Amino acid sequence: MPSLMPLIDMKVANLLDEEIPQIYALTGRGPRSALAVLRPGLAVSELAVSPLPGAPTAVFTLRAHPGDEQDGYIVVSFTNATLVFEIGEEVKETSQSGFLATVATIHTQLLEDGSILQVHAGGLRHIRTDRRINEWRAPGRRSITKAATNSRQVIIALQGGELIYFEMDHMGQLLELAKRDMDGDVSCLDIAPVLQGQLRCKFLAVGGYDSTVRMLSLEDGTQLRPVATQAVNSVPESLLMLHGQAAEEPGSGDAGLFLHVGLANGVLQRTEVDRITGKLSDTRQRFLGTRAPRLTAVYIRGGRSLLALSSRPWLGYADMGKWQFMPLSYEALDHAASFASEQCPEGFVAVVKNTLRILAVDSIGETFNQSISRLRYTPRRLLIHPDHKTLIVAESDYQAVPIADNPELQKRLVDESGGSLAGPEFSAELAAELDQYGAPVGAPGQWASCVRLVDPSELSTKAVLELDGSEGITSMALVRFEGPGVPETSLLLAVGTAEQMTYFPTSCTAGYIRLYKILDRGQRLELLHKTQLEGIPGALAAFKGKLLAGVGPVLRLYELGKKKLLRKCEYRQLPQHVAQLQTLGSRIYVGDVQESIHYFRYNKKDNKLYSFADDVHPRYITAMTLLDYDTVAAGDKFGNFFVLRLPAGVSAQVEEDPTGGKLAAQMGKLGGAPYKLDNTTQFHVGDTITTLSRAVMQPGGNEVLLYGTIMGGIGAFFPFQAKEVGALAALAPQGSGWAHLGLYDLLDTSLGRQDAVDVCKCSLGTDKSQLATR
């Protein structure tokens, strides 16, 4: 994946109504800036889309001959018909395949001698290589419900649960060898391919509506005899048996046989099958989605792999000797089959509603797939409008020349039709030139800034508003004002700017808070008014129908006025500079640029802000997020992640204070707050944390804390339960014989941190049985 360095801001939200939320990140600087959208999973390329006359019930692909590397036919089954498409220079429908076109096809198979088998509800249709057709009719009025095949074996299930086993003889005839009544309808069947050098697959997997999976023998003399039974926690809807990738290579050893079961509750179960006895062991489960997974065999990197179709598609494949299971960044598929052609050697053909699509997976092995949209200046802040689901990006650059002050650039921004483009980021030629040579350099103290509205579904810019004057954007927030005399308004965009801001020392000629209306459902910005400040607005936040602003070391509350913001109250005793602001209920959480976290409470009766808790350690705060009413997680510029919590007794005391925090504020000594925060967790990440976000990354999963760093890294902190902490503590190495630096940040239960990966690595010498017990 391309580098995200520097990663400046990040939000996690499901704006596209997908199964897994997307990660929206601001990366880069200057003309190399971008808005990146990261999706956990593999990227999918859509090679072709074709409409169909109805909604198919299944899709299959067939090779024309056993030795072919490309598929020759695509078979699409409907409720009462079957269409066959021949693959050549173009895909076209054919009537010369020998398929019965007036019935729905349950299964198809290219047999070992080059003949083709069609399974339908009425029986079997065996299409020989010389176009002779052999028919086998289902007995009585019973019909075929399920079928499983490989190049030499055929098993069908009839209504009522009767299994019939066929095997191909040396003359190319399908011979009926065995029958068995399963005492109930069969929900699914599967059989593994015949390995090179063998005559048949030894085992058949059968799923029943009694929530069981049975393994039956197919050896001579023991056909359809049960060898193993496994109870599952839901009805099995689909089965797929896969050999280990090495087992499919001639002369290789035993690489294992694995049975995959798609259950009705959306869980995929993977069980190892003993290749000699058929016994089942080492079962593992994973929740895939709200739909029962439909399992299909596809080919990835030359090996037979797994495609699971649930509420989103998943791909399981062997990579570097390990089994990988990754979601695909694509909409839900109804049916799919493997597909190979000259243009797409390893892909699959899929059905989505009434369309037929040919898809290919890009960049096998990557954890995320990324799409980007170029930006004009260095991004500073990112917001998500909750009503319009629009991304709002604030951009600004020091010593940059705005477009309005660059006449040469304005001339080049005129396209051939005479229309004016919005900026150089929309021209591939100009963007490449700026990437190579850089942007023009302005005078010291000069800034160029803009606010951008982006549609997340297409990553297209809907509006870009350049700021007048030499103002750099320092903060941004969405706020809905309330109060007497304030008209009902939608969310307003508050943007904090500093005019001619310089560093070392940090100063500016004036600060401003701009209020914008967001019109036309996130398509346009309109300036409402502009309020001048005496310092830099380092942070903005909405609070109880008002705007909370950190202006230098001052914490200030504003109300909405007709021509500017009206100052409500302020607190002027913060140590250095307000860098972060969060609010929850009646509490305000302030992150100082050098003096860590401060807790505030607003007393509406006295119209004052009171500080009631702070940290004892000086910390240079760069990112902050709330975990609950008493707990804050934050990062500093030295690469430390920490969690601060207000003691439980103190929290109740502050809430029950009849003076609203006034009495507690008077108890402070030496300029500090009366209560101190407890440091419950400390962890050294090794890189400056720039953003923190809470998110649930999969349906039914636990909430994690995602962080982004200045060097472009994305990581996660997972909250352990008490019993899990005890298990990791048991795996921790003992004190003797270990270097102190080797245990740095490895395990410290007193500060609530545990690096599970490193602990397990250090415990590899422990016996497996002891690890399982622990």
Side-chain angles (χ1 to χ4, degrees):
M1 186 175 70
S3 174
L4 300 176
M5 184 182 72
L7 199 159
I8 298 170
D9 200 358
M10 180 177 70
K11 302 293 181 185
V12 183
N14 190 5
L15 303 182
L16 306 180
D17 296 327
E18 296 179 350
E19 193 76 15
I20 296 179
Q22 305 86 45
I23 299 176
Y24 299 90
L26 299 180
T27 68
R29 61 182 296 272
R32 296 183 178 90
S33 304
L35 168 63
V37 181
L38 306 177
R39 293 179 175 87
L42 303 172
V44 176
S45 297
E46 195 174 83
L47 305 181
V49 179
S50 177
L52 293 172
T57 58
V59 63
F60 311 94
T61 55
L62 290 172
R63 307 284 169 94
H65 303 94
D68 290 351
E69 296 183 356
Q70 286 89 31
D71 289 313
Y73 301 99
I74 297 176
V75 182
V76 183
S77 175
F78 299 87
T79 54
N80 58 357
T82 296
L83 293 180
V84 181
F85 297 91
E86 187 175 6
I87 303 172
E89 294 181 357
E90 59 181 13
V91 178
K92 58 182 179 180
E93 186 178 351
T94 179
S95 59
Q96 305 299 320
S97 62
F99 275 74
L100 188 60
T102 57
V103 296
T105 299
I106 297 175
H107 197 77
T108 64
Q109 176 68 48
L110 177 67
L111 299 177
E112 187 179 53
D113 63 345
S115 59
I116 296 175
L117 177 68
Q118 178 188 14
V119 183
H120 54 88
L124 306 180
R125 187 177 177 90
H126 188 190
I127 307 168
R128 306 297 296 272
T129 55
D130 56 4
R131 293 307 177 186
R132 289 183 301 153
I133 295 177
N134 297 336
E135 293 276 359
W136 181 90
R137 299 291 181 183
R141 296 184 178 180
R142 304 168 71 183
S143 60
I144 300 175
T145 57
K146 305 292 178 182
T149 64
N150 59 29
S151 61
R152 291 185 54 83
Q153 298 164 287
V154 178
I155 301 96
I156 60 173
L158 303 179
Q159 285 179 336
E162 183 180 2
L163 295 180
I164 303 179
Y165 172 53
F166 299 85
E167 189 172 315
M168 178 179 287
D169 64 5
H170 65 281
M171 298 294 294
Q173 298 284 345
L174 288 175
L175 302 180
E176 181 181 328
L177 298 184
K179 293 183 180 181
R180 182 180 179 86
D181 192 353
M182 300 300 295
D183 298 326
D185 283 336
V186 174
S187 60
C188 49
L189 293 170
D190 193 58
I191 184 173
V194 179
L195 296 181
Q196 188 171 357
Q198 297 184 6
L199 291 177
R200 64 180 63 86
C201 175
K202 294 182 179 181
F203 304 109
L204 166 70
V206 182
Y209 288 101
D210 56 351
S211 298
T212 60
V213 176
R214 294 178 173 88
M215 297 299 295
L216 306 182
S217 173
L218 296 179
E219 292 280 19
D220 283 340
T222 61
Q223 284 109 343
L224 301 184
R225 180 179 298 176
V227 295
T229 302
Q230 183 181 50
V232 293
N233 54 19
S234 186
V235 175
E237 296 284 347
S238 182
L239 297 173
L240 183 64
M241 289 203 295
L242 292 177
H243 288 284
Q245 190 169 10
E248 299 178 1
E249 300 174 2
S252 61
D254 188 353
L257 176 63
F258 298 92
L259 173 64
H260 300 80
V261 185
L263 303 179
N265 57 6
V267 172
L268 176 68
Q269 180 174 291
R270 176 180 167 92
T271 304
E272 186 173 358
V273 182
D274 189 292
R275 294 177 62 185
I276 304 300
T277 64
K279 300 299 182 182
L280 302 176
S281 62
D282 191 18
T283 298
R284 304 184 184 187
Q285 295 183 342
R286 179 163 185 171
F287 179 74
L288 300 189
T290 55
R291 279 170 38 184
R294 182 178 284 120
L295 309 182
T296 302
V298 296
Y299 287 87
I300 299 295
R301 293 179 174 174
R304 197 164 179 260
S305 305
L306 166 69
L307 179 65
L309 308 182
S310 184
S311 49
R312 70 175 303 179
W314 294 73
L315 184 65
Y317 59 97
D319 182 30
M320 304 294 290
K322 295 182 179 180
W323 177 255
Q324 302 288 343
F325 200 64
M326 296 293 296
L328 301 182
S329 294
Y330 200 74
E331 61 182 303
L333 306 177
D334 298 328
H335 308 278
S338 64
F339 178 79
S341 66
E342 293 183 1
Q343 296 77 15
C344 177
E346 290 184 345
F348 45 90
V349 57
V351 170
V352 180
K353 297 180 181 178
N354 60 344
T355 60
L356 186 69
R357 309 184 185 190
I358 297 177
L359 309 175
V361 179
D362 302 329
S363 303
I364 293 291
E366 291 188 356
T367 305
F368 288 88
N369 68 87
Q370 173 182 334
S371 54
I372 65 171
S373 175
R374 286 183 175 272
L375 302 178
R376 186 175 304 174
Y377 307 119
T378 301
R380 305 291 177 173
R381 294 290 186 272
L382 174 65
L383 293 177
I384 298 176
H385 197 290
D387 300 333
H388 307 322
K389 292 186 177 181
T390 302
L391 299 175
I392 306 173
V393 183
E395 309 168 37
S396 60
D397 262 334
Y398 179 64
Q399 280 191 300
V401 180
I403 293 180
D405 298 340
N406 193 340
E408 294 184 4
L409 181 60
Q410 291 182 18
K411 293 180 181 178
R412 297 191 60 182
L413 289 179
V414 177
D415 58 13
E416 297 179 357
S417 62
S420 178
L421 298 176
E425 68 272 22
F426 302 106
S427 170
E429 182 181 352
L430 277 175
E433 184 177 323
L434 292 176
D435 282 350
Q436 184 174 2
Y437 301 109
V441 179
Q446 185 179 15
W447 286 80
S449 303
C450 68
V451 179
R452 184 184 305 267
L453 301 178
V454 180
D455 181 4
S457 61
E458 302 175 354
L459 274 187
S460 59
T461 299
K462 298 302 180 183
V464 180
L465 182 64
E466 285 265 349
L467 272 61
D468 54 351
S470 181
E471 298 180 25
I473 298 177
T474 58
S475 56
M476 189 168 62
L478 288 168
V479 57
R480 181 178 279 110
F481 287 95
E482 300 173 358
V486 176
E488 291 188 5
T489 59
S490 59
L491 281 172
L492 299 178
L493 177 63
V495 180
T497 64
E499 185 177 4
Q500 295 184 358
M501 181 173 58
T502 57
Y503 300 100
F504 307 111
T506 302
S507 63
C508 67
T509 57
Y512 300 95
I513 297 180
R514 296 167 171 258
L515 277 185
Y516 292 94
K517 293 180 180 180
I518 304 175
L519 306 175
D520 301 336
R521 298 189 59 81
Q523 306 289 319
R524 185 165 60 91
L525 288 172
E526 180 181 297
L527 180 64
L528 183 62
H529 55 62
K530 179 177 175 181
T531 304
Q532 185 171 349
L533 311 171
E534 73 281 3
I536 299 174
L540 300 174
F543 179 71
K544 292 184 175 294
K546 300 176 179 60
L547 178 64
L548 194 65
V551 184
V554 180
L555 182 63
R556 191 172 292 161
L557 198 61
Y558 285 98
E559 287 184 340
L560 179 65
K562 292 184 178 179
K563 294 185 178 180
K564 66 176 183 177
L565 293 173
L566 306 177
R567 188 181 304 182
K568 179 77 174 176
C569 66
E570 65 180 22
Y571 182 89
R572 306 186 64 89
Q573 299 178 19
L574 284 166
Q576 296 293 334
H577 178 81
V578 178
Q580 299 285 332
L581 274 178
Q582 298 278 346
T583 64
L584 183 62
S586 60
R587 290 186 185 177
I588 301 169
Y589 309 83
V590 179
D592 190 86
V593 74
Q594 291 184 8
E595 297 295 335
S596 193
I597 307 295
H598 301 259
Y599 282 31
F600 281 82
R601 186 177 175 88
Y602 174 63
N603 190 329
K604 185 177 181 181
K605 183 178 180 180
D606 297 341
N607 191 29
K608 288 187 177 181
L609 296 166
Y610 297 107
S611 173
F612 65 88
D614 60 12
D615 191 12
V616 297
H617 298 288
R619 304 179 190 270
Y620 290 62
I621 303 298
T622 56
M624 181 178 73
T625 190
L626 299 181
L627 299 184
D628 57 40
Y629 199 52
D630 297 327
T631 312
V632 170
D636 64 19
K637 73 175 185 179
F638 299 110
N640 298 309
F641 168 81
F642 53 91
V643 176
L644 302 178
R645 178 174 295 160
L646 191 67
V650 173
S651 179
Q653 186 176 347
V654 170
E655 291 301 315
E656 295 170 1
D657 186 357
T659 64
K662 180 178 180 180
L663 179 61
Q666 295 175 353
M667 297 168 56
K669 296 180 180 180
L670 300 177
Y675 304 114
K676 301 302 174 183
L677 302 173
D678 292 337
N679 185 11
T680 62
T681 300
Q682 180 91 14
F683 197 91
H684 184 67
V685 175
D687 195 4
T688 302
I689 297 176
T690 57
T691 176
L692 287 166
S693 300
R694 294 166 54 186
V696 177
M697 296 306 294
Q698 67 177 11
N702 294 327
E703 188 177 55
V704 297
L705 189 61
L706 295 182
Y707 67 87
T709 66
I710 193 69
M711 298 300 289
I714 296 178
F717 291 103
F718 183 82
F720 283 111
Q721 303 297 326
K723 60 180 181 180
E724 295 169 328
V725 172
L728 288 178
L731 290 176
Q734 303 301 320
S736 60
W738 288 85
H740 174 71
L741 290 179
L743 293 177
Y744 181 68
D745 269 340
L746 188 66
L747 176 68
D748 191 342
T749 54
S750 65
L751 286 180
R753 67 175 183 237
Q754 307 197 39
D755 194 325
V757 175
D758 290 343
V759 168
C760 291
K761 286 181 179 178
C762 292
S763 302
L764 288 179
T766 308
D767 186 75
K768 286 187 176 181
S769 61
Q770 296 179 6
L771 288 175
T773 304
R774 292 175 179 176

